Short mmCIF file of all heavy atoms in Angstrom, two decimals:
data_model
loop_
_atom_site.label_atom_id
_atom_site.label_comp_id
_atom_site.label_asym_id
_atom_site.label_seq_id
_atom_site.Cartn_x
_atom_site.Cartn_y
_atom_site.Cartn_z
N VAL A 283 9.13 14.93 5.73
CA VAL A 283 8.14 13.86 5.63
C VAL A 283 6.73 14.38 5.90
O VAL A 283 5.75 13.91 5.29
CB VAL A 283 8.49 12.72 6.61
CG1 VAL A 283 8.44 13.20 8.06
CG2 VAL A 283 7.56 11.54 6.43
N VAL A 284 6.59 15.39 6.76
CA VAL A 284 5.27 15.97 7.05
C VAL A 284 4.71 16.63 5.80
O VAL A 284 3.55 16.44 5.42
CB VAL A 284 5.35 16.95 8.23
CG1 VAL A 284 4.00 17.60 8.48
CG2 VAL A 284 5.88 16.26 9.46
N ASP A 285 5.56 17.45 5.15
CA ASP A 285 5.11 18.12 3.93
C ASP A 285 4.81 17.12 2.84
O ASP A 285 3.83 17.25 2.09
CB ASP A 285 6.18 19.10 3.45
CG ASP A 285 6.37 20.26 4.43
OD1 ASP A 285 5.38 20.62 5.09
OD2 ASP A 285 7.50 20.77 4.52
N ASN A 286 5.68 16.11 2.74
CA ASN A 286 5.47 15.09 1.69
C ASN A 286 4.15 14.35 1.91
O ASN A 286 3.40 14.10 0.96
CB ASN A 286 6.63 14.11 1.68
CG ASN A 286 7.92 14.73 1.20
OD1 ASN A 286 7.90 15.80 0.55
ND2 ASN A 286 9.04 14.10 1.47
N LEU A 287 3.87 13.99 3.16
CA LEU A 287 2.66 13.25 3.45
C LEU A 287 1.43 14.10 3.14
O LEU A 287 0.46 13.61 2.55
CB LEU A 287 2.65 12.83 4.92
CG LEU A 287 1.42 12.04 5.38
CD1 LEU A 287 1.27 10.75 4.58
CD2 LEU A 287 1.51 11.73 6.88
N ARG A 288 1.47 15.35 3.52
CA ARG A 288 0.33 16.25 3.25
C ARG A 288 0.12 16.37 1.74
O ARG A 288 -1.01 16.30 1.25
CB ARG A 288 0.59 17.61 3.86
CG ARG A 288 -0.59 18.56 3.75
CD ARG A 288 -0.28 19.95 4.29
NE ARG A 288 -0.01 19.91 5.73
CZ ARG A 288 1.16 20.13 6.29
NH1 ARG A 288 2.22 20.41 5.53
NH2 ARG A 288 1.31 20.10 7.60
N GLY A 289 1.20 16.54 1.02
CA GLY A 289 1.09 16.64 -0.44
C GLY A 289 0.62 15.36 -1.06
O GLY A 289 -0.20 15.37 -2.00
N ASP A 290 1.11 14.20 -0.57
CA ASP A 290 0.69 12.90 -1.11
C ASP A 290 -0.81 12.67 -0.89
O ASP A 290 -1.51 12.16 -1.78
CB ASP A 290 1.49 11.77 -0.46
CG ASP A 290 2.92 11.72 -0.94
OD1 ASP A 290 3.22 12.36 -1.96
OD2 ASP A 290 3.74 11.07 -0.27
N VAL A 291 -1.31 13.06 0.29
CA VAL A 291 -2.74 12.87 0.58
C VAL A 291 -3.58 13.72 -0.35
O VAL A 291 -4.58 13.26 -0.91
CB VAL A 291 -3.02 13.20 2.07
CG1 VAL A 291 -4.52 13.25 2.31
CG2 VAL A 291 -2.38 12.15 2.96
N ARG A 292 -3.21 14.99 -0.51
CA ARG A 292 -3.98 15.88 -1.40
C ARG A 292 -3.97 15.34 -2.83
O ARG A 292 -4.99 15.32 -3.51
CB ARG A 292 -3.42 17.30 -1.35
CG ARG A 292 -3.73 18.06 -0.08
CD ARG A 292 -3.52 19.55 -0.29
NE ARG A 292 -2.13 19.85 -0.63
CZ ARG A 292 -1.20 20.24 0.26
NH1 ARG A 292 -1.54 20.37 1.53
NH2 ARG A 292 0.03 20.50 -0.13
N PHE A 293 -2.79 14.91 -3.29
CA PHE A 293 -2.67 14.43 -4.67
C PHE A 293 -3.47 13.13 -4.83
O PHE A 293 -4.13 12.93 -5.86
CB PHE A 293 -1.20 14.20 -5.03
CG PHE A 293 -0.98 13.81 -6.45
CD1 PHE A 293 -1.05 14.74 -7.46
CD2 PHE A 293 -0.74 12.48 -6.78
CE1 PHE A 293 -0.84 14.38 -8.77
CE2 PHE A 293 -0.54 12.11 -8.10
CZ PHE A 293 -0.59 13.07 -9.11
N ALA A 294 -3.41 12.25 -3.81
CA ALA A 294 -4.14 10.98 -3.89
C ALA A 294 -5.65 11.22 -3.97
O ALA A 294 -6.37 10.57 -4.75
CB ALA A 294 -3.81 10.11 -2.69
N LEU A 295 -6.15 12.15 -3.18
CA LEU A 295 -7.59 12.46 -3.20
C LEU A 295 -8.00 13.02 -4.56
O LEU A 295 -9.07 12.69 -5.09
CB LEU A 295 -7.94 13.45 -2.09
CG LEU A 295 -7.84 12.89 -0.66
CD1 LEU A 295 -8.07 14.00 0.36
CD2 LEU A 295 -8.84 11.78 -0.45
N ARG A 296 -7.15 13.86 -5.15
CA ARG A 296 -7.45 14.39 -6.50
C ARG A 296 -7.49 13.27 -7.52
O ARG A 296 -8.39 13.21 -8.38
CB ARG A 296 -6.41 15.43 -6.91
CG ARG A 296 -6.56 16.77 -6.20
CD ARG A 296 -5.82 17.86 -6.97
NE ARG A 296 -4.41 17.57 -7.15
CZ ARG A 296 -3.44 17.91 -6.31
NH1 ARG A 296 -3.76 18.56 -5.18
NH2 ARG A 296 -2.19 17.60 -6.54
N GLN A 297 -6.52 12.35 -7.44
CA GLN A 297 -6.50 11.23 -8.38
C GLN A 297 -7.71 10.32 -8.23
O GLN A 297 -8.29 9.86 -9.23
CB GLN A 297 -5.21 10.41 -8.17
CG GLN A 297 -3.94 11.10 -8.62
CD GLN A 297 -3.89 11.29 -10.11
OE1 GLN A 297 -4.26 10.40 -10.88
NE2 GLN A 297 -3.47 12.46 -10.56
N LEU A 298 -8.13 10.08 -6.99
CA LEU A 298 -9.30 9.22 -6.78
C LEU A 298 -10.59 9.90 -7.26
O LEU A 298 -11.48 9.23 -7.78
CB LEU A 298 -9.40 8.85 -5.30
CG LEU A 298 -8.25 7.98 -4.75
CD1 LEU A 298 -8.43 7.74 -3.26
CD2 LEU A 298 -8.15 6.66 -5.49
N ARG A 299 -10.68 11.21 -7.08
CA ARG A 299 -11.86 11.93 -7.60
C ARG A 299 -11.90 11.95 -9.12
O ARG A 299 -12.97 11.92 -9.72
CB ARG A 299 -11.85 13.38 -7.07
CG ARG A 299 -12.30 13.52 -5.64
CD ARG A 299 -12.68 14.97 -5.33
NE ARG A 299 -11.56 15.88 -5.56
CZ ARG A 299 -10.71 16.25 -4.61
NH1 ARG A 299 -10.84 15.78 -3.37
NH2 ARG A 299 -9.73 17.08 -4.89
N LYS A 300 -10.75 11.94 -9.75
CA LYS A 300 -10.69 11.96 -11.23
C LYS A 300 -11.08 10.60 -11.80
O LYS A 300 -11.38 10.49 -13.00
CB LYS A 300 -9.28 12.32 -11.70
CG LYS A 300 -8.95 13.81 -11.54
CD LYS A 300 -7.48 14.07 -11.83
CE LYS A 300 -7.10 13.65 -13.23
NZ LYS A 300 -5.67 13.95 -13.52
N ASN A 301 -11.03 9.55 -11.00
CA ASN A 301 -11.35 8.19 -11.48
C ASN A 301 -12.43 7.59 -10.60
O ASN A 301 -12.18 6.63 -9.83
CB ASN A 301 -10.10 7.30 -11.47
CG ASN A 301 -9.01 7.83 -12.37
OD1 ASN A 301 -8.96 7.53 -13.55
ND2 ASN A 301 -8.11 8.62 -11.79
N PRO A 302 -13.66 8.08 -10.67
CA PRO A 302 -14.72 7.63 -9.76
C PRO A 302 -15.07 6.16 -9.93
O PRO A 302 -15.43 5.49 -8.96
CB PRO A 302 -15.91 8.54 -10.11
CG PRO A 302 -15.63 9.02 -11.50
CD PRO A 302 -14.14 9.13 -11.60
N GLY A 303 -15.00 5.64 -11.16
CA GLY A 303 -15.32 4.22 -11.37
C GLY A 303 -14.35 3.31 -10.65
O GLY A 303 -14.76 2.39 -9.93
N PHE A 304 -13.06 3.57 -10.84
CA PHE A 304 -12.03 2.79 -10.16
C PHE A 304 -12.17 2.91 -8.64
O PHE A 304 -12.13 1.94 -7.91
CB PHE A 304 -10.65 3.24 -10.61
CG PHE A 304 -9.55 2.82 -9.68
CD1 PHE A 304 -9.04 1.56 -9.73
CD2 PHE A 304 -9.03 3.73 -8.75
CE1 PHE A 304 -8.04 1.14 -8.85
CE2 PHE A 304 -8.02 3.34 -7.89
CZ PHE A 304 -7.53 2.05 -7.93
N THR A 305 -12.35 4.16 -8.18
CA THR A 305 -12.44 4.41 -6.73
C THR A 305 -13.62 3.69 -6.12
O THR A 305 -13.48 3.03 -5.07
CB THR A 305 -12.56 5.92 -6.48
OG1 THR A 305 -11.45 6.60 -7.07
CG2 THR A 305 -12.59 6.22 -4.98
N ALA A 306 -14.80 3.77 -6.74
CA ALA A 306 -15.98 3.13 -6.19
C ALA A 306 -15.82 1.61 -6.17
O ALA A 306 -16.19 0.94 -5.19
CB ALA A 306 -17.22 3.51 -7.03
N THR A 307 -15.25 1.04 -7.26
CA THR A 307 -15.04 -0.42 -7.31
C THR A 307 -14.10 -0.89 -6.21
O THR A 307 -14.38 -1.87 -5.51
CB THR A 307 -14.48 -0.82 -8.68
OG1 THR A 307 -15.39 -0.39 -9.70
CG2 THR A 307 -14.29 -2.32 -8.77
N ALA A 308 -12.97 -0.19 -6.04
CA ALA A 308 -11.98 -0.59 -5.02
C ALA A 308 -12.58 -0.48 -3.63
O ALA A 308 -12.43 -1.38 -2.79
CB ALA A 308 -10.74 0.28 -5.16
N ILE A 309 -13.28 0.62 -3.34
CA ILE A 309 -13.85 0.83 -2.00
C ILE A 309 -14.92 -0.22 -1.71
O ILE A 309 -14.96 -0.77 -0.60
CB ILE A 309 -14.41 2.25 -1.88
CG1 ILE A 309 -13.26 3.27 -1.86
CG2 ILE A 309 -15.26 2.39 -0.62
CD1 ILE A 309 -13.72 4.70 -1.84
N LEU A 310 -15.76 -0.53 -2.69
CA LEU A 310 -16.83 -1.51 -2.46
C LEU A 310 -16.24 -2.91 -2.23
O LEU A 310 -16.75 -3.68 -1.40
CB LEU A 310 -17.79 -1.53 -3.64
CG LEU A 310 -18.72 -0.31 -3.72
CD1 LEU A 310 -19.57 -0.37 -4.99
CD2 LEU A 310 -19.62 -0.24 -2.48
N MET A 311 -15.18 -3.25 -2.97
CA MET A 311 -14.53 -4.56 -2.76
C MET A 311 -14.00 -4.68 -1.33
O MET A 311 -14.22 -5.66 -0.62
CB MET A 311 -13.38 -4.75 -3.74
CG MET A 311 -13.80 -5.16 -5.15
SD MET A 311 -12.35 -5.49 -6.15
CE MET A 311 -13.14 -5.90 -7.72
N LEU A 312 -13.26 -3.63 -0.90
CA LEU A 312 -12.71 -3.67 0.45
C LEU A 312 -13.82 -3.64 1.50
O LEU A 312 -13.72 -4.32 2.52
CB LEU A 312 -11.78 -2.46 0.63
CG LEU A 312 -10.47 -2.50 -0.14
CD1 LEU A 312 -9.72 -1.19 0.00
CD2 LEU A 312 -9.59 -3.65 0.32
N ALA A 313 -14.88 -2.85 1.24
CA ALA A 313 -15.97 -2.77 2.21
C ALA A 313 -16.68 -4.12 2.35
O ALA A 313 -17.05 -4.52 3.46
CB ALA A 313 -16.98 -1.71 1.78
N LEU A 314 -16.85 -4.83 1.24
CA LEU A 314 -17.50 -6.15 1.30
C LEU A 314 -16.67 -7.12 2.14
O LEU A 314 -17.19 -7.82 3.02
CB LEU A 314 -17.68 -6.70 -0.12
CG LEU A 314 -18.25 -8.11 -0.23
CD1 LEU A 314 -19.65 -8.15 0.36
CD2 LEU A 314 -18.26 -8.57 -1.68
N GLY A 315 -15.37 -7.18 1.86
CA GLY A 315 -14.51 -8.09 2.64
C GLY A 315 -14.46 -7.71 4.10
O GLY A 315 -14.53 -8.57 4.98
N MET A 316 -14.35 -6.41 4.39
CA MET A 316 -14.27 -5.96 5.77
C MET A 316 -15.59 -6.18 6.50
O MET A 316 -15.63 -6.61 7.66
CB MET A 316 -13.88 -4.49 5.82
CG MET A 316 -13.68 -3.94 7.21
SD MET A 316 -12.29 -4.70 8.07
CE MET A 316 -10.93 -3.93 7.18
N CYS A 317 -16.70 -5.86 5.83
CA CYS A 317 -18.02 -6.04 6.46
C CYS A 317 -18.27 -7.49 6.84
O CYS A 317 -18.69 -7.79 7.97
CB CYS A 317 -19.11 -5.54 5.51
SG CYS A 317 -20.79 -5.75 6.13
N ALA A 318 -17.99 -8.40 5.91
CA ALA A 318 -18.21 -9.82 6.21
C ALA A 318 -17.30 -10.30 7.34
O ALA A 318 -17.74 -11.02 8.26
CB ALA A 318 -17.97 -10.65 4.95
N SER A 319 -16.05 -9.87 7.30
CA SER A 319 -15.10 -10.33 8.33
C SER A 319 -15.48 -9.80 9.70
O SER A 319 -15.47 -10.55 10.70
CB SER A 319 -13.69 -9.86 7.96
OG SER A 319 -13.27 -10.41 6.74
N VAL A 320 -15.82 -8.51 9.79
CA VAL A 320 -16.16 -7.93 11.09
C VAL A 320 -17.47 -8.52 11.62
O VAL A 320 -17.60 -8.79 12.81
CB VAL A 320 -16.26 -6.39 10.97
CG1 VAL A 320 -16.83 -5.78 12.24
CG2 VAL A 320 -14.89 -5.81 10.67
N ALA A 321 -18.44 -8.73 10.72
CA ALA A 321 -19.73 -9.28 11.15
C ALA A 321 -19.56 -10.69 11.73
O ALA A 321 -20.06 -10.99 12.82
CB ALA A 321 -20.70 -9.29 9.98
N ILE A 322 -18.84 -11.54 11.03
CA ILE A 322 -18.66 -12.91 11.53
C ILE A 322 -17.77 -12.90 12.77
O ILE A 322 -17.99 -13.66 13.70
CB ILE A 322 -18.06 -13.80 10.42
CG1 ILE A 322 -19.04 -13.90 9.24
CG2 ILE A 322 -17.77 -15.19 10.97
CD1 ILE A 322 -20.41 -14.44 9.62
N PHE A 323 -16.76 -12.02 12.80
CA PHE A 323 -15.94 -11.94 13.99
C PHE A 323 -16.77 -11.51 15.19
O PHE A 323 -16.48 -11.91 16.33
CB PHE A 323 -14.77 -10.99 13.79
CG PHE A 323 -13.90 -10.86 15.00
CD1 PHE A 323 -12.97 -11.83 15.30
CD2 PHE A 323 -14.04 -9.80 15.88
CE1 PHE A 323 -12.18 -11.76 16.43
CE2 PHE A 323 -13.26 -9.71 17.02
CZ PHE A 323 -12.32 -10.68 17.29
N GLY A 324 -17.80 -10.68 14.97
CA GLY A 324 -18.69 -10.31 16.07
C GLY A 324 -19.33 -11.53 16.70
O GLY A 324 -19.44 -11.63 17.93
N PHE A 325 -19.76 -12.49 15.88
CA PHE A 325 -20.34 -13.73 16.39
C PHE A 325 -19.27 -14.56 17.13
O PHE A 325 -19.54 -15.11 18.20
CB PHE A 325 -20.92 -14.56 15.24
CG PHE A 325 -22.23 -14.05 14.73
CD1 PHE A 325 -22.29 -13.04 13.81
CD2 PHE A 325 -23.43 -14.57 15.19
CE1 PHE A 325 -23.50 -12.56 13.32
CE2 PHE A 325 -24.65 -14.10 14.73
CZ PHE A 325 -24.68 -13.09 13.79
#
């Protein structure tokens, strides 16, 4: 499982770098939801 996890992480990073449009869109969506939730939870 250790080897598999290391290999999965490396392969996942390569796949995300090969698709910058998809990666940026997904990260920004999650960041928006997380930012709003954490900010309001702070209040």
